[in-house]
Amino acid sequence: MQVSWGQFRKHTLPAMILLLSTHTQASPLMQYTAVSSDLRTLSTSGCTITEPSSAKSIKEKASLLYSLAEKPLFSTPSANGTVQGKLLPASDVLVIACDKEMLKVQLTGWIEKTGKGEVLSQQMGNRTFTATIQGDIKNKKQILDEKVDHNTKIAWQYVSVQAWVTKDNLAESIQPIWRFSTDNTI
């Protein structure tokens, strides 16, 4: 049986994250490492992300990462700042810079032109959400394209935004999440 990306993100991934977070004492990144050996710490854009439990670092280059859990988005490189949005599980981000324990990432997605423009969707007209954006992050969005969905006649904008996230709960591949989902389907 094949499951669509939207169905996986809506049903399987949250249950998988809850299952892992309630049955282990390790951090979410280490929980996934325990499930699949190809999720590990990495070095991105010249910064090294270190495994919290072992203080080891793996020297790898990666610029595209996937979120393993909901992550707050910030407009400045401080996790103590005001939350300006939320990155949803299994969403991809492009790492463009790093500052201490924070990564500056770029997200792209579709927003409804006439709506509040706060929810990024993976595809135009498809409500597979990847992030919510507010405040400075929303105000600095770049419009890359604009189209009207021929089925609904709703205008959509393809946008790019930049935000800061903490380095935890990120993986360099989506495959281990898919594998875990396939192996643990109810």
Side-chain angles (χ1 to χ4, degrees):
M1 177 179 123
Q2 272 198 330
V3 177
S4 75
W5 178 243
Q7 291 171 323
F8 170 75
R9 290 187 63 186
K10 183 177 181 185
H11 302 288
T12 308
L13 185 63
M16 180 178 76
I17 290 169
L18 177 64
L19 174 72
L20 288 172
S21 65
T22 57
H23 289 88
T24 64
Q25 295 296 322
S27 70
L29 180 60
M30 295 310 295
Q31 292 164 10
Y32 280 91
T33 303
V35 170
S36 175
S37 63
D38 35 308
L39 283 179
R40 53 194 178 272
T41 59
L42 50 120
S43 184
T44 13
S45 299
C47 13
T48 300
I49 302 173
T50 305
E51 276 183 84
S53 65
S54 66
K56 293 179 183 175
S57 64
I58 298 171
K59 300 285 183 181
E60 295 178 293
K61 288 288 182 184
S63 58
L64 186 65
L65 300 176
Y66 299 89
S67 58
L68 300 176
E70 282 187 4
K71 295 183 63 61
L73 298 174
F74 302 94
S75 61
T76 61
S78 171
N80 295 324
T82 303
V83 174
Q84 303 275 310
K86 191 176 289 187
L87 181 65
L88 299 177
S91 298
D92 60 78
V93 294
L94 180 65
V95 178
I96 54 178
C98 129
D99 184 76
K100 298 177 185 144
E101 293 304 312
M102 302 289 287
L103 298 174
K104 187 173 188 179
V105 296
Q106 179 176 335
L107 300 88
T108 55
W110 291 92
I111 59 173
E112 283 188 54
K113 183 178 180 179
T114 56
K116 291 184 177 183
E118 294 180 348
V119 180
L120 268 67
S121 297
Q122 195 173 38
Q123 298 175 354
M124 175 182 71
N126 182 339
R127 305 226 187 274
T128 306
F129 305 131
T130 57
T132 61
I133 56 172
Q134 305 165 351
D136 291 339
I137 295 172
K138 178 184 171 185
N139 295 337
K140 294 178 182 177
K141 72 179 181 277
Q142 294 180 341
I143 300 170
L144 305 175
D145 195 6
E146 196 169 308
K147 293 184 180 180
V148 175
D149 184 337
H150 66 279
N151 293 324
T152 63
K153 309 299 184 231
I154 295 174
W156 290 82
Q157 295 176 324
Y158 188 65
V159 300
S160 172
V161 296
Q162 294 182 0
W164 291 88
V165 296
T166 57
K167 292 179 181 178
D168 61 328
N169 293 322
L170 294 168
E172 62 186 342
S173 171
I174 195 72
Q175 293 308 314
I177 297 172
W178 278 109
R179 248 190 324 279
F180 182 84
S181 169
T182 302
D183 295 344
N184 294 287
T185 311
I186 297 174

